[in-house]
Amino acid sequence: MARDHDSMPQSYEYDVLIIGSGAAGLTVALNLPEHLRVCVISKADISSGATLWAQGGIAAVLDDTDSVENHIQDTLNAGGGLCHEDAVRFTVEHSKESIKWLIDSGVKFTRQDDGEDYHLTREGGHSHRRIIHAADATGHAVSTTLASQAQARPNIDLKAGRVAVDLITNRKLALPGNRCVGAYILNLEDNHVELFRARFTVIATGGASKAYRYTTNPDGASGDGIAMAWRAGCRVANMEFNQFHPTCLYHPHAKSFLITEAVRGEGGVLRLPDGSRFMDRFDERAELAPRDIVARAIDHEMKRLGADHLFLDISHKPADFIKQHFPTIYEKCLSFGIDITREPIPVVPAAHYTCGGIVSDERARTDINQLYVVGEAAFTGLHGANRMASNSLLECLVYGRAAAQDITRREADIPPPPSAPDWDESQVRDSDEDVIISHNWDELRHFMWDYVGIVRTTKRLQRAKHRVDLLSREIGEFYSNYRVSNDLIELRNLVTVSDLIICSALQRKESRGLHYTLDYPGLLNDAQDTVLVPTTYRTLSP
């Protein structure tokens, strides 16, 4: 039963607070010892994050003809000179054991026809078949399996219908040291902000693709963790590298439905409205070129022709093959009157993955003590200037397990969190101006798409910066005077991450990977990360 505004908000204390319930957050939770009291926060249902919608699969070295060195080299090649080789090696070397952990946890991956070996597919940028998958709904299999495992653990509390507002640090409490001690969390059922104190806090909130008008991501991908960490004093890096998935289903009623890269990996071809192919004019690898090249080629052709969309065609393959390999896509398209065994799929590029994020190390530690970050919200150095297909779920698993191991190693030495004040709602009132929030939301996503999209110019970025500064001031005033809501929290965070994206893009005076600007079409000789430092940043004390 919902409480009224005068009742006392709830207060909780845990050993580990995990904000986000996708593959990254649940991997941390399930790899922690069962004597630790763990809480996993989720905006909607526990299985509502981006993991649920991941179609393709997970990259790992699982075949005798493949090797760790091959996978490392492919990732470095795709990353445009900005991958951190130590992070790539760390991730790939732990790939096989991470997949084994998923299998042991009960994930049912697709097997070969003989039922013995697992079926491995190949995607853009990969030199070998190394993508293990569960048909074309791998994310669903991983997400639901891990969620059911977490629900069965008595030490894990799963709290849905909650959105994080801000992290609580020693600095905010006017205490010495540089430590995170929990977070303020909005309970969406009764609209009260609750206090969650914890010895360790893990950000696993996903990316920021909802900053863009067209995206493959679920509604919750509003950059919450990145924005909260930035406000708390964490550095962020490489936010200009937003991956646009080349092929999102173009249909007025198909909200954010992605057509997996595996369709091209299994022989799908891109076509113009007249039916002709075009990718070979942009790259010798044609449809199997890295995503940034494919997305730019589609964007170029759409603008050249004034077309709303192009087409992805796999209808030349046998119908049984298509239905077996892509059952989800087949059924979804059919529900919109598109039979992919007979006709091409209308597609458009859409914001898909945030390659940058909160600066972290191989143990998933951030710039603030006892604050960790895993998954898409993190900048580990793995992806560089362009994420290679199916490395993202692998990153969630490898760094999620690494974070859990580090917390386990340190937990005996970390004292309980200090007391903290309840959220103060005494000086705010309910908003009767929700139209302002929805208008600002639309304005932000439109100018980010138009000015900070697949192809950029300095003038476009400067226009976006001017608009985001105005929005930031407006929303800051709104935030100070009104009771927080989910929409206001997400808009505040989206404005913050949009500003980080724009500032990062303005700093990069070259075209590299996913950042393509007409003013600087060439590469600089020296590949450097774009690292932004907040005014609240402190160097870590031991």
Side-chain angles (χ1 to χ4, degrees):
M1 182 175 167
R3 299 187 299 273
D4 61 42
H5 284 318
D6 296 324
S7 61
M8 289 293 290
Q10 289 276 59
S11 178
Y12 302 92
E13 182 181 341
Y14 290 93
D15 292 308
V16 185
L17 171 65
I18 300 170
I19 306 171
S21 63
L26 292 177
T27 296
V28 178
L30 291 168
N31 280 277
L32 290 168
E34 296 197 25
H35 69 268
L36 291 179
R37 292 164 302 128
V38 179
C39 180
V40 180
I41 297 291
S42 175
K43 277 189 185 177
D45 296 334
I46 292 300
S47 298
S48 62
T51 301
L52 187 71
W53 305 102
Q55 295 173 4
I58 307 170
V61 179
L62 302 167
D63 188 84
D64 291 341
T65 63
D66 198 5
S67 71
V68 165
E69 294 304 322
N70 285 335
H71 190 172
I72 290 170
Q73 198 55 53
D74 289 346
T75 302
L76 294 175
N77 289 342
L82 277 180
C83 294
H84 296 193
E85 189 167 349
D86 55 347
V88 177
R89 186 169 294 278
F90 175 77
T91 306
V92 174
E93 286 178 346
H94 290 85
S95 63
K96 193 168 186 176
E97 68 193 49
S98 297
I99 298 299
K100 183 180 184 302
W101 174 73
L102 277 186
I103 292 168
D104 292 343
S105 297
V107 176
K108 305 293 184 190
F109 290 110
T110 300
R111 291 184 179 271
Q112 299 277 25
D113 292 340
D114 60 13
E116 292 294 319
D117 296 326
Y118 289 104
H119 181 267
L120 303 176
T121 192
R122 181 182 169 192
E123 295 180 351
H126 291 273
S127 60
H128 290 70
R129 284 184 172 263
R130 65 167 69 99
I131 316 301
I132 191 168
H133 60 102
D136 62 347
T138 306
H140 186 274
V142 170
S143 189
T144 53
T145 301
L146 296 185
S148 66
Q149 290 275 344
Q151 284 160 350
R153 292 273 181 96
N155 69 309
I156 299 176
D157 283 352
L158 302 172
K159 292 194 177 293
R162 284 172 170 84
V163 58
V165 182
D166 260 324
L167 299 171
I168 306 170
T169 60
N170 278 15
R171 184 177 59 83
K172 282 189 182 174
L173 301 177
L175 295 172
N178 181 26
R179 179 186 176 193
C180 182
V181 295
Y184 289 112
I185 309 283
L186 176 66
N187 185 330
L188 297 176
E189 184 182 337
D190 61 17
N191 216 36
H192 273 288
V193 176
E194 301 170 335
L195 170 63
F196 281 76
R197 294 181 302 127
R199 295 197 292 149
F200 300 90
T201 303
V202 181
I203 292 173
T205 51
S209 287
K210 289 300 275 191
Y212 288 95
R213 184 180 177 191
Y214 298 112
T215 175
T216 63
N217 281 204
D219 287 340
S222 48
D224 300 340
I226 297 170
M228 287 191 301
W230 172 258
R231 289 193 292 267
C234 290
R235 292 168 300 158
V236 302
N238 286 8
M239 289 297 291
E240 70 270 38
F241 297 118
N242 304 95
Q243 189 170 62
F244 289 81
H245 197 286
T247 52
C248 190
L249 177 62
Y250 181 83
H251 190 280
H253 304 303
K255 184 180 178 183
S256 305
F257 188 73
L258 176 131
I259 307 298
T260 174
E261 186 137 354
V263 172
R264 285 181 284 125
E266 294 295 344
V269 296
L270 287 161
R271 299 190 188 279
L272 299 176
D274 66 4
S276 62
R277 292 180 68 177
F278 61 92
M279 270 311 303
D280 57 340
R281 288 192 275 112
F282 292 88
D283 193 282
E284 62 184 12
R285 292 163 290 188
E287 279 79 9
L288 289 177
R291 288 177 177 179
D292 62 319
I293 294 172
V294 178
R296 266 202 308 278
I298 295 172
D299 184 68
H300 178 274
E301 291 299 302
M302 284 171 57
K303 284 175 175 160
R304 182 177 69 84
L305 297 169
D308 290 331
H309 62 279
L310 299 184
F311 295 93
L312 177 60
D313 189 6
I314 197 166
S315 62
H316 51 279
K317 289 281 191 177
D320 288 344
F321 174 90
I322 294 169
K323 292 175 186 176
Q324 179 186 350
H325 281 77
F326 307 111
T328 308
I329 295 171
Y330 172 74
E331 292 293 341
K332 186 74 170 183
C333 289
L334 204 59
S335 73
F336 295 119
I338 304 161
D339 183 350
I340 69 171
T341 66
R342 297 171 176 270
E343 59 190 316
I345 308 165
V347 292
V348 66
H352 181 58
Y353 195 87
T354 307
C355 287
I358 305 160
V359 172
S360 61
D361 64 14
E362 283 184 0
R363 296 169 294 185
R365 295 185 184 186
T366 70
D367 290 328
I368 298 176
N369 287 316
Q370 284 83 66
L371 178 66
Y372 294 77
V373 60
V374 286
E376 192 175 350
F379 168 77
T380 62
L382 170 65
H383 303 305
N386 186 15
R387 177 183 73 97
M388 190 168 69
S390 294
N391 271 349
S392 49
L393 280 177
L394 177 61
E395 183 184 38
C396 291
L397 302 172
V398 171
Y399 283 88
R401 285 160 59 84
Q405 288 165 11
D406 196 60
I407 291 169
T408 304
R409 224 174 8 247
R410 302 171 67 203
E411 59 102 357
D413 301 324
I414 303 300
S419 59
D422 288 332
W423 184 260
D424 183 9
E425 294 182 343
S426 62
Q427 304 301 312
V428 295
R429 60 190 187 275
D430 286 323
S431 167
D432 56 1
E433 294 288 353
D434 288 346
V435 66
I436 293 173
I437 295 176
S438 62
H439 182 274
N440 286 351
W441 182 289
D442 287 342
E443 183 186 344
L444 176 76
R445 297 181 72 203
H446 272 81
F447 76 64
M448 286 296 289
W449 183 262
D450 290 341
Y451 299 152
V452 200
I454 296 171
V455 176
R456 300 160 179 176
T457 67
T458 301
K459 186 172 281 188
R460 290 177 197 171
L461 293 173
Q462 288 168 343
R463 284 177 177 166
K465 177 63 177 160
H466 177 67
R467 281 161 174 75
V468 85
D469 286 346
L470 290 173
L471 276 182
S472 185
R473 285 196 293 273
E474 203 170 291
I475 290 156
E477 185 181 329
F478 208 82
Y479 183 81
S480 300
N481 293 312
Y482 295 105
R483 185 170 275 109
V484 295
S485 65
N486 181 57
D487 287 349
L488 178 56
I489 292 166
E490 289 190 340
L491 178 59
R492 179 186 182 224
N493 291 332
L494 278 174
V495 167
T496 298
V497 294
S498 296
D499 190 34
L500 295 172
I501 292 167
I502 295 163
C503 288
S504 298
L506 280 166
Q507 281 193 28
R508 188 165 293 283
K509 309 296 187 188
E510 63 170 348
S511 289
R512 184 181 296 273
L514 299 166
H515 175 75
Y516 186 80
T517 169
L518 297 175
D519 292 319
Y520 302 98
L523 275 176
L524 292 176
N525 292 330
D526 190 19
Q528 296 281 345
D529 292 323
T530 305
V531 181
L532 302 180
V533 182
T535 56
T536 48
Y537 172 69
R538 299 181 186 180
T539 53
L540 272 181
S541 54

